[in-house]
Amino acid sequence: MPLRSAGYTHEEDKFLCQVYMEISQDPITGVYQTSDQFWSCVANAYEAGKNASWNERTKKSIHCRIQTIEKATKKLHACLKQCENRRPSGASNDVIFEQAKLMFVDDPKYKGSWKFDHVWNIIKKFEKFKDGDTSAKKSMMNKILLVDLHLKDQLE
């Protein structure tokens, strides 16, 4: 059984999130491939661009790290929505963000506090890392419904 490597540094997390986002949003590289091929691309790009002093990471390690960040980020987005919906008069975005992090801590499914401030600015607007009820997703569903209705009208 291989030894477990050291945890990811903040710099490694930042670079990994950037690599992941670039590959997953690339219309050529990010689609029409198996999950294994996708994660191989991410792992290869990470290894090719990483700082030489960083630990070597396996494809599985990289995949697990992104999943950990994604899960926590989706939860924080949900907490943010709740805090925004009950926004106290005059509360700034910073205050709401801090309230969301406190709400995050109260969830028994998560150990400890929000640990990803260092990548928040990179991933906060990335659709895949949101909690699922996004306006872009709703917009796409509305477009699909309109196309379906248009096709149905043509068939009748």
Side-chain angles (χ1 to χ4, degrees):
M1 178 183 262
L3 293 174
R4 184 180 164 127
S5 63
Y8 283 77
T9 66
H10 287 191
E11 293 307 311
E12 285 178 289
D13 278 346
K14 288 177 189 176
F15 181 66
L16 179 57
C17 287
Q18 289 168 342
V19 166
Y20 175 77
M21 289 178 62
E22 285 172 14
I23 291 173
S24 63
Q25 291 178 329
D26 184 316
I28 306 299
T29 310
V31 295
Y32 303 118
Q33 60 186 334
T34 66
S35 174
D36 189 56
Q37 290 170 324
F38 173 79
W39 287 107
S40 290
C41 279
V42 173
N44 291 339
Y46 176 82
E47 285 299 322
K50 74 179 183 77
N51 185 314
S53 67
W54 296 348
N55 289 321
E56 192 169 319
R57 304 293 183 179
T58 65
K59 177 172 54 174
K60 182 178 179 182
S61 170
I62 287 169
H63 186 181
C64 287
R65 186 61 175 177
I66 287 292
Q67 285 181 322
T68 298
I69 293 170
E70 179 183 347
K71 182 180 176 186
T73 304
K74 284 181 176 183
K75 176 62 182 171
L76 185 65
H77 269 290
C79 292
L80 275 168
K81 272 189 180 178
Q82 287 182 32
C83 291
E84 286 170 348
N85 288 338
R86 63 175 193 208
R87 179 186 288 254
S89 179
S92 69
N93 288 338
D94 290 339
V95 167
I96 290 173
F97 188 68
E98 292 305 316
Q99 288 174 346
K101 290 195 295 188
L102 290 172
M103 185 182 288
F104 183 97
V105 171
D106 290 340
D107 191 325
K109 293 179 188 172
Y110 293 88
K111 298 175 188 165
S113 61
W114 164 252
K115 299 174 180 85
F116 300 107
D117 276 337
H118 58 284
V119 293
W120 177 248
N121 286 327
I122 298 169
I123 61 176
K124 67 182 174 186
K125 293 182 180 168
F126 188 46
E127 287 297 322
K128 182 166 175 48
F129 283 53
K130 291 188 177 178
D131 66 337
D133 187 28
T134 62
S135 57
K137 192 175 187 180
K138 287 179 184 176
S139 176
M140 179 60 86
M141 290 306 292
N142 287 339
K143 288 177 186 176
I144 290 170
L145 287 173
L146 287 174
V147 169
D148 283 349
L149 289 173
H150 180 71
L151 289 173
K152 186 178 179 182
D153 287 344
Q154 287 182 339
L155 292 173
E156 292 177 344

